[in-house]
Amino acid sequence: MDNFININDFGAVGNGLHDDSEAIYSAIQSLVTQKGGILYIPAKTYAIGKEVVIDFPGIYIRGASPYFSVIKVLENFDGSSAITFKPNTYQLSKGTGIDHGLTVNCNNQEVHGITGVKMYDQVCMQNVEVKNVHKDYSGFNFTQDTEGYSKIGQTLLLENCYGERYRGEANAPMFYFDRYQEVNLVGCKAFPSQPNSEMLQGDGFYLKDCRGFTFTGCSVAFAENAFVVEAATKNVSGITISGQTNEAIASYALKTKALNATMVESVTVLPIRSEVREIEEKQLDGSERKVVVGGGNFDIQKTTKALIYSMDAALTLGISSSQNVVFSTASEKVINLAAGNSVFGLANFARSGTSILDALTINEFSSVPTVYFADKAGVNKSRIEQQSANLRFGFRYVEPSGAKSYINKFIILKNDLVNATNIQVTYPEGTNTVVRRVEIGEPNSAGEGYRGLRIRN
């Protein structure tokens, strides 16, 4: 099979020590002359002293094993990435990627693991592990070669890809995307800090000026932030996160931000599965204290048309965020600084029912269904409740002792009585509150053609 090239046939040794860069380069050039094909990496560790560059369409790297086919970066490496897909034009960027698995060991050198430059259509990476990533570099780095609003890559699939830091310190995200759209990540996992590290730094996934991203069944662990979405030069839209797992996130499950007149819009975050860890956090005086970290909170700035299930996590909607919908089981943790957002408080173990912006609460889990109303400050509150066959309207009062209770002011009765309305009213009588049904007087008792209404003593 001419288009299936084994790098061993071009002199690659695969002992983890010998520099196999030239052998791999020769194998790639053979595929270029054949207009593409498979670059096969056997189950050995191949050391490289300089960057492996794929600059022709239709060339796929295929490993024999996700774990035993290894590309290892040597010290004094020449290049900015272990493997780079960098076509000269968009037309030469199609049909490339990595399949059947490959491990890239960055060896804590100052390089990215995998870099894709202006990749465009039919790009797929499957079962790729990048480990021992330097604190200032990313495991997966997808960029453009020039600045500009119109520059964009598209149609990428990353499946079961994994990135892991060398140590806890991190200044770069593990997965970075700059100006890409129509991208799907399935089952990808990011460790921006080393697994089980107590130094939680770096971001899991960082999207800059991106559109149309879907994350399905991905996870982030031991990080400062799980997701950061930035609109720098253009609006960002169409980001969907579902089936996500976060573990030991120091700050945010999702942080959105936008510069100048740009906005982040149409972001959907379905409920996140959170794993909680107890870690030792270093204090300024050098001491340590135990803190519990989970799936992270939400900081939503300059964002519109988002749908977020924050559940029991804290969430802030910034002053420039509007037309967003939030579902929370801890609505007291939702800070809404802008008008035009909808916050639904879901039931939890302490409170049944559903609330909307904490102004309207519907309690359906009861033999006495109740709707509560409150002003923004939570000072004035009222309720409507259905008790047996009656509908009761009441206000909340604060007693001198500080106790709070509702007193019904108006009641509508279901059952009819002769010469009586279906209305009961309350009125004070001394220190007591009396409830009486409003009765109907005799014909013309309130003047010709009118009946009077009366209340019994």
Side-chain angles (χ1 to χ4, degrees):
M1 182 172 163
D2 293 337
N3 290 63
F4 187 95
I5 298 298
N6 187 328
I7 61 173
N8 286 351
D9 295 338
F10 289 79
V13 177
N15 63 4
L17 300 172
H18 178 266
D19 187 351
D20 290 318
S21 302
E22 290 301 326
I24 295 174
Y25 172 79
S26 297
I28 293 171
Q29 294 311 304
S30 176
L31 287 174
V32 171
T33 62
Q34 298 178 63
K35 305 301 182 184
I38 302 298
L39 181 70
Y40 181 67
I41 311 294
K44 294 182 178 180
T45 298
Y46 295 89
I48 56 172
K50 64 180 180 180
E51 199 164 351
V52 174
V53 178
I54 306 292
D55 57 2
F56 194 83
I59 295 179
Y60 262 85
I61 298 175
R62 176 173 295 175
S65 163
Y67 303 108
F68 299 113
S69 296
V70 181
I71 297 293
K72 177 185 176 182
V73 175
L74 293 171
E75 296 181 4
N76 301 314
F77 184 82
D78 180 15
S80 61
S81 183
I83 300 174
T84 297
F85 295 86
K86 187 178 181 181
N88 294 323
T89 68
Y90 284 113
Q91 287 72 30
L92 293 180
S93 64
K94 296 183 178 182
T96 60
I98 302 172
D99 64 9
H100 287 221
L102 181 70
T103 293
V104 177
N105 183 356
C106 291
N107 198 25
N108 197 32
Q109 301 302 301
E110 295 184 5
V111 296
H112 300 295
I114 307 291
T115 291
V117 181
K118 63 181 181 185
M119 304 189 79
Y120 203 92
D121 284 350
Q122 302 166 11
V123 177
C124 180
M125 296 192 181
Q126 296 175 308
N127 301 317
V128 180
E129 177 176 339
V130 181
K131 64 181 183 180
N132 294 323
V133 180
H134 187 275
K135 65 184 178 65
D136 296 324
Y137 290 81
S138 298
F140 297 85
N141 177 50
F142 295 91
T143 64
Q144 308 301 320
D145 58 351
T146 58
E147 297 297 327
Y149 177 91
S150 61
K151 302 297 182 182
I152 196 164
Q154 70 175 29
T155 319
L156 278 66
L157 171 63
L158 276 71
E159 186 176 19
N160 198 28
C161 292
Y162 175 100
E164 178 184 312
R165 191 72 61 191
Y166 174 70
R167 291 284 172 84
E169 187 178 3
N171 301 318
M174 187 54 62
F175 288 77
Y176 179 75
F177 294 87
D178 179 6
R179 288 166 289 167
Y180 275 83
Q181 65 183 17
E182 301 171 14
V183 177
N184 288 276
L185 291 93
V186 180
C188 294
K189 188 164 189 173
F191 283 95
S193 293
Q194 188 181 45
N196 300 310
S197 171
E198 295 184 349
M199 185 181 295
L200 307 180
Q201 298 184 2
D203 305 317
F205 299 95
Y206 197 110
L207 311 183
K208 178 182 177 183
D209 292 345
C210 293
R211 299 175 296 188
F213 269 64
T214 299
F215 296 85
T216 305
C218 296
S219 60
V220 179
F222 304 97
E224 174 71 20
N225 304 302
F227 290 87
V228 177
V229 177
E230 178 187 1
T233 64
K234 63 176 71 175
N235 289 347
V236 169
S237 64
I239 311 300
T240 300
I241 302 169
S242 66
Q244 176 71 21
T245 297
N246 288 348
E247 178 182 358
I249 306 301
S251 294
Y252 298 112
L254 171 64
K255 179 181 179 67
T256 64
K257 57 183 180 179
L259 306 179
N260 303 317
T262 61
M263 292 288 292
V264 176
E265 59 184 41
S266 300
V267 175
T268 300
V269 182
L270 298 182
I272 292 174
R273 173 176 167 266
S274 297
E275 291 281 349
V276 176
R277 283 291 185 110
E278 185 179 84
I279 66 170
E280 296 285 345
E281 183 180 67
K282 287 189 176 181
Q283 306 301 299
L284 294 176
D285 61 2
S287 64
E288 295 184 345
R289 68 181 180 96
K290 289 185 177 181
V291 296
V292 176
V293 288
N297 299 315
F298 293 82
D299 184 24
I300 309 302
Q301 304 293 330
K302 294 195 70 177
T303 299
T304 183
K305 303 174 186 175
L307 172 61
I308 300 174
Y309 284 78
S310 60
M311 308 313 287
D312 62 350
L315 181 145
T316 298
L317 291 165
I319 57 175
S320 298
S321 295
S322 65
Q323 302 180 60
N324 301 295
V325 179
V326 175
F327 289 91
S328 172
T329 58
S331 56
E332 70 278 3
K333 295 182 181 180
V334 178
I335 301 174
N336 184 14
L337 301 177
N341 296 306
S342 298
V343 180
F344 292 86
L346 306 179
N348 55 38
F349 289 109
R351 181 185 67 184
S352 58
T354 301
S355 69
I356 303 174
L357 292 171
D358 278 340
L360 172 65
T361 302
I362 304 172
N363 175 12
E364 75 282 0
F365 188 72
S366 171
S367 60
V368 185
T370 307
V371 177
Y372 295 89
F373 302 89
D375 61 12
K376 187 173 183 180
V379 175
N380 298 306
K381 292 189 175 182
S382 60
R383 74 180 182 187
I384 303 173
E385 64 176 6
Q386 179 180 305
Q387 191 171 60
S388 298
N390 304 329
L391 195 61
R392 305 181 177 211
F393 299 77
F395 289 92
R396 191 187 71 172
Y397 291 86
V398 181
E399 299 175 8
S401 64
K404 300 174 182 178
S405 61
Y406 283 89
I407 298 177
N408 293 322
K409 292 293 188 178
F410 184 77
I411 302 172
I412 299 176
L413 308 176
K414 179 180 179 181
N415 297 325
D416 297 330
L417 290 178
V418 177
N419 295 327
T421 68
N422 291 76
I423 297 173
Q424 281 185 337
V425 295
T426 64
Y427 63 90
E429 189 176 83
T431 59
N432 298 321
T433 299
V434 179
V435 181
R436 292 288 186 267
R437 190 161 186 164
V438 179
E439 297 183 356
I440 302 173
E442 299 297 327
N444 302 318
S445 58
E448 187 66 30
Y450 294 92
R451 289 176 182 260
L453 301 179
R454 63 191 181 192
I455 300 175
R456 291 182 180 271
N457 292 329

